[in-house]
Amino acid sequence: MDGAQFSFFDDGTWSGKIYTGGWVDGSGGADEVTAPADGAHVASIGRATPADLCAAAKAARAAQPAWEATAPADRAAILNKAAEILEANAGELIPWIIRETGSIPPKAGIEIEHSAGFLRAAAEAAQENQTQTLASVDGRGASEELIRVAHGVVGVISPFNFPLILSIRAIAAALATGNAVVHKPDPRTPITGGVMIARAFEDAGLPSGLLHIVPGGADVGAAMCEDPNIAMVSFTGSPEVGAKVGEACGRNLKKVQLELGGKNALIVMDDADIDVAASNAAWGAWLHQGQICMATGLILVPSATAGQLIEALSTKAGHLPVGDPAKEECALGPLIVEAEAKRVEGIVEDAVAKGATLHVGGKPNGTLFPATVLSGVKPGMRAFDEEIFGPVAVIAEYNNDDHAVELANMSDFGLVASVIGTDVGRARDLGMRLRVGHLHINDQTVTASPLAPFGGRGRSGNGCRISGPALWEEFTQWVWVTTKPAATPYPF
Ligand code: NAD
């Protein structure tokens, strides 16, 4: 690392601190962040309390009006600069992402690359003129405008799996549209999900008071939903916690955006190239150890070609090394904590006990869980019914296209589906019958774009989307302004 890079992310600046009007002590003391691969100390980070959250929200509210009044081009310049800073310092940041989140280097690289993409897309969007002119219906000569205004302060809560992207996509959208932000990263990944973002915006020249990072647990997240200075909460995480966040925001009449889980089907059509389908399924099911909301959670294959697909996937699984990506070359790193590995093992055992076949993997070693292939999976098995969030390729057979659609639509989730087949029109027609927010023909399920509205149906969210056109839809609200050249009298 050269001197310039070191000075950007020097942990002397942020160690043991929270970020609220600068790097300061959190009232909750400090927490140790440990590496999921071996439990080694990564860094110390300040712990915020609900009182810190309230103080941050108050300061954010005071700072927000001046930011909304700032020229869009100037807001955009800061977002673009933050993107540049992340990319310029990728060499220093990537090892932190690898250690803190258990990512293999390419996944850590994706975090930087996509986060920069979300920042740039938000910068571009910030400069769009969203004002509309309406025809005046009552013929009284008023000019009528629809103007989008920021909500005020947006609270962001993010998960552990892709902490940089999933925090930045909401923070960038909120700042681009003139909001201030109070952000609570997951306590297991506060460096990638918090400190990096604060440092990038700090160096990019974001005025003080507009971005607060308050690492902490459920108590801080819950306080965010209650705080009167926070107008909207953008939450990414599990449906269980999302339901609590939605309930608290509803009680407090706050806008809430929920980006939740997925049980994403990949349908292999009867005319598909099985080797290519297996490669897509492997990437979708095992990237980042399956800890992705868009992970391929159910592989549906015709009975006639199931054997070929199982063999191809099992061969791949057997060749994928599992280890500590900070120390060795591997394809799969650790799960976030050992309890998660035990939970995933329980899902595999449940399937086997109910008649599924385990071809490879299935047994964890601490937080390490190998690429696993299960076939003969049926409704009523946890592997079929639940989001696994671990590296398990779940294979179920179908008899005909209608049966494939029925099986895919059995899930309460509705985030992503993929269909792989040679006849693209037929694959697309089948795909359009699936109840999802993203549909990919001839691709696997883990695909995102800063220009596309991200989000799902059913239990995958509350009907909101994030990014693309959803940036303005979600992070602002309308004001209807009518202007008459002069006031005129009414009948009384
Ligand atoms: P989680 O719901 O346990 O935690 C998410 C965040 O919520 C964390 O910051 C946590 O500290 C916070 N939190 C916990 N209790 C809270 C409470 N009572 N009030 C407010 N905040 C609270 O999720 P996780 O296990 O970290 O992440 C995995 C889940 O996230 C999976 O279901 C996955 O599919 C989902 N996810 C969804 C997306 C998406 O964009 N749709 C992306 C990634 C992950």
Side-chain angles (χ1 to χ4, degrees):
M1 288 171 202
D2 67 39
Q5 285 177 330
F6 187 71
S7 68
F8 168 70
F9 207 63
D10 181 0
D11 59 358
T13 310
W14 50 265
S15 178
K17 310 280 188 201
I18 66 173
Y19 184 73
T20 175
W23 295 101
V24 300
D25 290 337
S27 306
D31 280 334
E32 196 193 3
V33 181
T34 55
D38 59 5
H41 173 83
V42 175
S44 161
I45 185 82
R47 170 172 273 265
T49 60
D52 292 329
L53 176 283
C54 291
K58 196 169 168 198
R61 186 163 178 181
Q64 185 270 334
W67 176 243
E68 189 170 8
T70 300
D74 294 341
R75 294 205 300 263
I78 290 173
L79 290 157
N80 280 326
K81 185 76 189 159
E84 235 174 75
I85 289 168
L86 284 181
E87 285 172 340
N89 292 281
E92 187 187 3
L93 297 177
I94 283 174
W96 284 95
I97 301 175
I98 292 171
R99 275 194 300 152
E100 186 190 32
T101 72
S103 309
I104 57 171
K107 183 270 185 184
I110 289 171
E111 289 249 33
I112 300 277
E113 189 193 319
H114 281 229
S115 297
F118 277 104
L119 286 161
R120 292 203 173 98
E124 192 72 31
Q127 300 176 85
E128 288 167 7
N129 180 7
Q130 290 280 325
T131 300
Q132 295 182 19
T133 308
L134 286 189
S136 185
V137 289
D138 62 7
R140 284 178 304 125
S143 70
E144 302 198 19
E145 301 156 282
L146 298 182
I147 298 173
R148 287 199 189 263
V149 295
H151 296 301
V153 182
V154 174
V156 176
I157 301 176
S158 64
F160 70 84
N161 59 334
F162 273 78
L164 190 60
I165 296 175
L166 298 175
S167 305
I168 278 198
R169 70 179 183 180
I171 292 171
L175 290 174
T177 44
N179 297 281
V181 174
V182 178
H183 170 51
K184 191 202 86 63
D186 188 289
R188 294 164 293 192
T189 51
I191 303 168
T192 308
V195 177
M196 283 181 194
I197 301 164
R199 287 291 298 115
F201 275 111
E202 199 177 25
D203 271 21
L206 184 73
S208 176
L210 291 169
L211 174 64
H212 302 255
I213 310 279
V214 287
D219 57 339
V220 178
M224 190 181 275
C225 304
E226 303 291 337
D227 193 283
N229 286 312
I230 291 189
M232 167 183 174
V233 175
S234 175
F235 173 86
T236 303
S238 64
E240 293 73 23
V241 176
K244 288 185 198 168
V245 167
E247 187 183 336
C249 288
R251 201 170 357 90
N252 288 288
L253 304 180
K254 269 187 215 321
K255 181 173 172 93
V256 63
Q257 176 185 51
L258 301 174
E259 302 294 338
L260 310 176
K263 178 71 177 174
N264 312 296
L266 182 150
I267 301 181
V268 181
M269 301 289 280
D270 53 16
D271 61 355
D273 176 323
I274 294 296
D275 286 337
V276 174
S279 170
N280 277 263
W283 181 261
W286 298 328
L287 178 65
H288 199 45
Q289 299 77 259
Q291 300 171 117
I292 307 181
C293 56
M294 298 171 282
T296 300
L298 181 63
I299 302 158
L300 295 169
V301 61
S303 302
T305 46
Q308 212 187 324
L309 185 84
I310 292 164
E311 196 185 326
L313 269 173
S314 301
T315 306
K316 282 182 196 299
H319 289 133
L320 293 176
V322 192
D324 179 351
K327 297 188 184 138
E328 59 205 314
E329 218 170 283
C330 49
L332 278 76
L335 295 182
I336 191 72
V337 288
E338 198 170 337
E340 280 293 286
K342 292 216 165 78
R343 183 184 57 77
V344 175
E345 183 185 20
I347 292 175
V348 173
E349 285 172 354
D350 170 80
V352 172
K354 291 174 180 161
T357 305
L358 174 63
H359 298 271
V360 54
K363 280 268 163 239
N365 173 13
T367 51
L368 300 182
F369 204 107
T372 296
V373 178
L374 270 181
S375 73
V377 178
K378 297 202 163 63
M381 298 178 185
R382 292 179 62 198
F384 187 98
D385 298 337
E386 293 180 20
E387 178 183 42
I388 298 183
F389 236 58
V392 185
V394 172
I395 300 172
E397 296 177 23
Y398 67 85
N399 309 324
N400 55 41
D401 290 3
D402 288 346
H403 189 209
V405 170
E406 184 193 332
L407 289 171
N409 279 341
M410 280 179 84
S411 172
D412 292 339
F413 290 111
L415 189 54
V416 192
S418 290
V419 187
I420 297 194
T422 303
D423 183 338
V424 174
R426 187 174 145 235
R428 192 177 182 285
D429 286 348
L430 183 138
M432 289 304 293
R433 297 166 63 192
L434 305 174
R435 193 186 51 123
V436 288
H438 319 175
L439 173 66
H440 305 299
I441 307 303
N442 283 329
D443 203 352
Q444 48 76 45
T445 54
V446 183
T447 305
S449 157
L451 302 180
F454 186 106
R457 291 151 76 177
R459 245 168 97 73
S460 292
N462 61 339
C464 290
R465 296 291 184 270
I466 193 164
S467 67
L471 181 140
W472 283 102
E473 286 161 14
E474 299 297 340
F475 289 88
T476 62
Q477 53 189 292
W478 289 112
V479 178
W480 175 40
V481 181
T482 73
T483 308
K484 295 204 292 196
T488 50
Y490 274 84
F492 50 83

